[in-house]
């Protein structure tokens, strides 16, 4: 798994609620930063009660959706505790680490499957990666991938702003406009509840 992540050209980390159950946030952030791997979250319950990865982190790209525009076609997907994160396609190496053995490889076959505490697995994976590559090489890999992810995030921010501006005067008020105005008016650390 470590070798596949180091050698990947276009990796993606898919995270889910099992990270919260295992208290693995710190270890998973370190793993993502070590190799500059873009992180996609679980759609649905992620974000309502579970915050396994900071959503304002430069490597966080939003929910893991089947029709994602980024990162194109991943060559390696690392699923960490995401019940719907086992979405591979031909030519994609799928690594899945799950706390729940009954759901491992339930929706798709995986290339490397592990049943483990996500916190411990992420820490061991980081250690294995550090043992296989020099600090200089890891920094080079992380900087290149992080720059690509930042460019994508910036492009998507501009696209959302454009959509919100185009729909600003629509009636009834668009969700994009509400989201844009909420983002502009609330403090960064505001928690809001919707019904």
């Amino acid at each position: 798994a470590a070798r596949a992540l180091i050698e990947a050209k276009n990796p993606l980390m898919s995270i889910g609620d099992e990270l919260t159950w295992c208290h693995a946030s710190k270890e998973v952030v370190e793993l993502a930063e070590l190799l500059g791997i873009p992180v996609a979250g679980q759609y649905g319950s992620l974000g309502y009660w579970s915050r396994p990865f900071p959503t304002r982190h430069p490597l966080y790209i939003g929910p893991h959706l089947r029709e994602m525009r980024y990162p194109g076609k991943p060559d390696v997907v690392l699923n960490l505790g995401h019940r719907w994160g086992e979405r591979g396609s031909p030519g994609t190496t799928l690594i899945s680490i799950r706390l729940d053995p009954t759901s491992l490889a339930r929706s798709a076959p995986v290339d490397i499957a592990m049943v483990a505490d996500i916190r411990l697995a992420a820490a061991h994976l980081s250690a294995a990666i550090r043992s296989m590559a020099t600090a200089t090489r890891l920094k080079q890999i992380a900087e290149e991938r992080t720059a690509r992810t930042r460019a994508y995030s910036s492009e998507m921010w501009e696209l959302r702003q454009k959509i919100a501006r185009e729909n600003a005067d629509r009636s009834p008020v668009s969700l994009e406009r509400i989201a844009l105005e909420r983002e502009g008016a609330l403090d960064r650390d505001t928690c809001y509840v919707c019904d």
Side-chain angles (χ1 to χ4, degrees):
R3 186 173 294 109
L5 291 169
I6 292 169
E7 296 173 356
K9 301 293 183 221
N10 202 23
L12 175 68
M13 184 184 298
S14 180
I15 60 163
D17 289 332
E18 287 182 2
L19 272 70
T20 301
W21 302 340
C22 295
H23 307 286
S25 294
K26 177 180 173 261
E27 290 78 8
V28 170
V29 169
E30 287 174 5
L31 175 60
E33 290 174 346
L34 179 63
L35 287 173
I37 301 173
V39 177
Q42 180 174 308
Y43 186 77
S45 61
L46 180 68
Y48 295 109
W49 72 272
S50 173
R51 292 283 185 183
F53 199 90
T55 57
R56 292 189 184 263
H57 191 285
L59 291 172
Y60 186 75
I61 60 172
H64 186 181
L65 305 171
R66 195 172 298 279
E67 63 277 354
M68 287 179 74
R69 290 183 56 201
Y70 182 85
K73 183 182 181 302
D75 56 345
V76 175
V77 173
L78 172 62
N79 175 35
L80 294 174
H82 182 182
R83 76 183 81 144
W84 297 290
E86 295 169 347
R87 292 182 177 161
S89 59
T92 299
T93 299
L94 184 55
I95 304 165
S96 190
I97 304 174
R98 298 295 308 275
L99 179 65
D100 177 12
T102 63
S103 61
L104 182 64
R106 178 180 271 176
S107 60
V110 298
D111 298 294
I112 302 172
M114 294 178 235
V115 175
D117 179 288
I118 306 296
R119 184 176 57 83
L120 298 175
H124 285 271
L125 196 50
S126 292
I129 289 166
R130 284 188 180 93
S131 74
M132 298 173 115
T134 65
T136 304
R137 176 70 179 127
L138 292 175
K139 183 178 179 189
Q140 179 187 30
I141 292 169
E143 286 175 352
E144 185 273 327
R145 291 177 180 170
T146 301
R148 227 177 343 148
T149 302
R150 283 182 195 268
Y152 165 78
S153 295
S154 177
E155 176 188 334
M156 291 309 296
W157 173 255
E158 289 301 320
L159 178 63
R160 286 191 295 272
Q161 295 286 321
K162 180 181 176 224
I163 291 168
R165 283 190 300 273
E166 289 172 355
N167 293 318
D169 295 325
R170 214 173 77 196
S171 181
V173 174
S174 69
L175 290 175
E176 295 87 359
R177 179 179 174 186
I178 293 170
L180 181 64
E181 289 186 11
R182 186 188 66 220
E183 279 285 318
L186 299 176
D187 291 335
R188 253 180 107 82
D189 295 331
T190 299
C191 291
Y192 68 93
V193 178
C194 56
D195 186 357

